[in-house]
């Protein structure tokens, strides 16, 4: 009877399980004694049937034994119910403690001030954080289930209702805190990603500008018309590539302006990079225009050299014609010479237009 009337219900789930195991051993022992009680009842019945002179005493003792037995079984059933209830409450406490422990462990990861140093590291952190958020989404069902279990246990175990409510509130407080941490970290990582994306575009564009400047400055001025034409064609190709990068410059500028409009924590750096990017683009266009003028001047010069050379060659050939002493020895030959001279004068007039 001391076992079934014990008020000890355990301090935690492991302790309750130990008590339940001891109680199961008691129940086995109790079941073993039921046969003994049956034998007592049978023997008492036999004595009464045989009209034993102590029949009244036998009946009294029989009733006493049966009453004690039924009382013991009733107490055992109550003890079993209490231990079962205690196990439910302690299992709830354990599940809540484990869930809170997991939440705090993940909370430490989300409290990190590492938001990446470059685009690759930020992307890796974002992937890791998205994994944590998936874990949180899966945990949400467990939190809801534990809250529902708390409501049920408060109804079925009113004596433990206040303690269960404390655990429930502790769970909800930790859950709301980690959800806030997760949202804040995701926002900071997104801010970091947008910054690093902008900085990566900035580095790519400024590096490309440097390479393009080197290409534009690489060619020396030509020494003939064909070379000058090739220079102008190649220079126009560079302009085509510059024009093709206009969308990239525009996109980078829009990204930077969006960061400034959002009051990004790196606004000063972004503003500085936007100024540099604008200056670099302007400097590239100015360089291209300067070289275009130089190449066109070179082209004009080479055309002039070619034309003067052609005129010089023509005059050298015509000088020999003019120095000819042949004036003709007949009417036909004189007329032929006059025709040649007229042709020469027409050619001279055409060359004069080219020279002037």
């Amino acid at each position: 009877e001391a076992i079934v009337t014990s008020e000890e219900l355990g301090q935690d789930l492991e302790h309750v399980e130990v008590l339940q195991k001891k109680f199961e051993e008691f129940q086995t022992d109790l079941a073993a004694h039921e046969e003994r009680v049956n034998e007592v009842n049978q023997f008492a019945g036999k004595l009464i049937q045989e009209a034993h002179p102590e029949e009244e005493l036998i009946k009294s003792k029989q009733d006493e034994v049966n009453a004690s037995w039924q009382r013991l079984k009733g107490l055992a059933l109550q003890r079993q119910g209490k231990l079962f209830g205690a196990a439910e409450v302690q299992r709830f406490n354990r599940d809540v403690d484990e869930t809170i422990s997991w939440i705090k462990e993940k909370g430490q990861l989300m409290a990190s001030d590492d938001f990446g140093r470059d685009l690759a590291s930020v992307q890796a952190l974002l992937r890791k954080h998205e994994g944590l958020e998936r874990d949180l989404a899966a945990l949400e069902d467990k939190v809801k289930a534990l809250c529902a279990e708390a409501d049920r246990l408060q109804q079925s175990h009113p004596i433990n209702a206040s303690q269960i409510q404390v655990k429930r509130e502790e769970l909800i407080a930790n859950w709301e805190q980690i959800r806030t941490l997760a949202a804040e970290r995701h926002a900071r990582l997104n801010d970091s990603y947008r910054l690093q994306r902008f900085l990566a575009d900035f580095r790519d564009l400024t590096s490309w500008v440097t390479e393009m400047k080197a290409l534009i400055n690489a060619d020396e001025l030509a020494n003939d018309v064909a070379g000058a034409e090739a220079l102008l064609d190649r220079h126009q190709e560079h302009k085509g590539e510059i024009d093709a990068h206009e969308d990239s410059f525009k996109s980078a500028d829009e990204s930077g302006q969006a960061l400034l409009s959002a009051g990004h924590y790196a606004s000063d750096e972004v503003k500085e990079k936007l100024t540099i990017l604008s200056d670099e683009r302007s400097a590239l266009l100015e360089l291209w225009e300067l070289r275009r003028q130089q190449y066109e001047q070179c082209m004009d010069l080479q055309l002039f050299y070619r034309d003067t050379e052609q005129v010089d060659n023509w005059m050298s050939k015509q000088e020999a014609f003019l120095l000819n002493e042949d004036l003709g020895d007949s009417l036909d030959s004189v007329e032929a010479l006059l025709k040649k001279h007229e042709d020469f004068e027409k050619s001279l007039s055409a060359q004069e237009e080219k020279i002037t």
Side-chain angles (χ1 to χ4, degrees), residues 10-72:
Q11 301 300 315
D12 52 38
L13 183 60
E14 289 73 15
H15 191 190
V16 175
E17 288 173 345
V18 169
L19 293 175
Q20 283 181 316
K21 184 172 179 57
K22 287 182 179 180
F23 187 73
E24 286 170 4
E25 294 172 354
F26 163 77
Q27 285 181 309
T28 302
D29 188 48
L30 189 66
H33 280 76
E34 187 164 12
E35 183 62 30
R36 177 63 177 155
V37 173
N38 290 336
E39 289 175 358
V40 169
N41 281 320
Q42 288 174 2
F43 188 58
K46 180 182 177 185
L47 291 175
I48 293 170
Q49 189 176 5
E50 293 174 351
H52 194 282
E54 299 292 336
E55 180 178 342
E56 292 301 323
L57 179 61
I58 291 170
K59 284 182 178 180
S60 174
K61 287 292 184 183
Q62 183 184 18
D63 291 342
E64 184 180 335
V65 168
N66 285 330
S68 296
W69 178 249
Q70 291 303 320
R71 180 173 180 276
L72 185 60

Side-chain angles (χ1 to χ4, degrees), residues 276-332:
I276 292 173
L277 201 58
S278 176
D279 291 345
E280 286 290 306
R281 176 179 172 278
S282 297
L284 177 62
L285 291 173
E286 289 172 4
L287 175 62
W288 185 88
E289 179 60 24
L290 175 64
R291 292 296 280 178
R292 183 193 66 77
Q293 294 175 7
Q294 291 175 343
Y295 291 153
E296 288 187 349
Q297 289 172 354
C298 176
M299 182 68 172
D300 292 341
L301 181 62
Q302 294 305 323
L303 286 171
F304 171 74
Y305 285 157
R306 184 194 66 182
D307 291 346
T308 55
E309 184 178 356
Q310 289 174 349
V311 170
D312 283 343
N313 291 337
W314 179 84
M315 287 192 296
S316 296
K317 290 178 182 178
Q318 298 308 317
E319 189 174 347
F321 170 74
L322 293 174
L323 293 174
N324 190 344
E325 297 291 337
D326 183 11
L327 299 177
D329 53 6
S330 66
L331 181 60
D332 290 340

Side-chain angles (χ1 to χ4, degrees), residues 85 159 204 246:
I159 194 171
D204 289 344
E246 278 301 302

Side-chain angles (χ1 to χ4, degrees), residues 100-302:
I100 290 174
S101 177
W102 185 92
I103 288 174
K104 287 182 176 178
E105 179 186 336
K106 301 305 179 183
Q108 290 178 353
L109 295 176
M110 293 187 184
S112 170
D113 59 357
D114 180 11
F115 300 105
R117 300 168 304 281
D118 51 40
L119 190 59
S121 61
V122 174
Q123 288 173 325
L125 287 172
L126 269 171
R127 286 193 296 271
K128 183 178 180 181
H129 187 75
E130 286 164 359
L132 288 174
E133 288 184 323
R134 286 192 294 272
D135 291 342
L136 285 182
L139 184 67
E140 186 172 8
D141 291 338
K142 185 174 183 180
V143 172
K144 289 179 179 178
L146 285 171
C147 287
E149 178 69 357
D151 293 339
R152 185 187 72 80
L153 290 174
Q154 284 178 296
Q155 292 294 324
S156 60
H157 303 289
I159 194 171
N160 300 111
S162 60
Q163 180 266 322
I164 293 169
Q165 182 61 20
V166 169
K167 278 291 181 185
R168 185 179 189 276
E169 290 174 356
E170 184 182 0
L171 174 63
I172 292 173
N174 278 274
W175 172 245
E176 291 178 348
Q177 182 182 24
I178 198 169
R179 289 182 63 186
T180 301
L181 278 174
E184 290 175 351
R185 180 160 178 78
H186 203 158
R188 287 295 301 273
L189 284 172
N190 279 334
D191 285 344
S192 180
Y193 173 78
R194 290 164 60 207
L195 173 64
Q196 295 301 334
R197 176 75 272 173
F198 167 75
L199 293 178
D201 291 343
F202 167 81
R203 287 190 293 269
D204 289 344
L205 286 171
T206 51
S207 176
W208 173 80
V209 167
T210 300
E211 293 174 3
M212 187 55 61
K213 283 180 178 178
L215 279 176
I216 291 173
N217 279 319
D219 293 321
E220 295 182 359
L221 297 179
N223 295 317
D224 53 42
V225 173
E229 288 177 342
L231 277 178
L232 281 170
D233 289 342
R234 190 155 54 247
H235 195 60
Q236 196 58 43
E237 289 175 3
H238 294 333
K239 186 60 166 63
E241 187 172 352
I242 292 171
D243 291 343
H245 276 74
E246 278 301 302
D247 287 343
S248 297
F249 278 101
K250 182 180 178 182
S251 176
D253 184 72
E254 289 175 350
S255 297
Q257 295 298 338
L259 291 172
L260 294 179
S261 298
H264 195 278
Y265 62 85
S267 290
D268 290 343
E269 181 182 5
V270 171
K271 193 179 297 183
E272 177 188 357
K273 293 293 191 288
L274 284 174
T275 301
I276 292 173
L277 201 58
S278 176
D279 291 345
E280 286 290 306
R281 176 179 172 278
S282 297
L284 177 62
L285 291 173
E286 289 172 4
L287 175 62
W288 185 88
E289 179 60 24
L290 175 64
R291 292 296 280 178
R292 183 193 66 77
Q293 294 175 7
Q294 291 175 343
Y295 291 153
E296 288 187 349
Q297 289 172 354
C298 176
M299 182 68 172
D300 292 341
L301 181 62
Q302 294 305 323

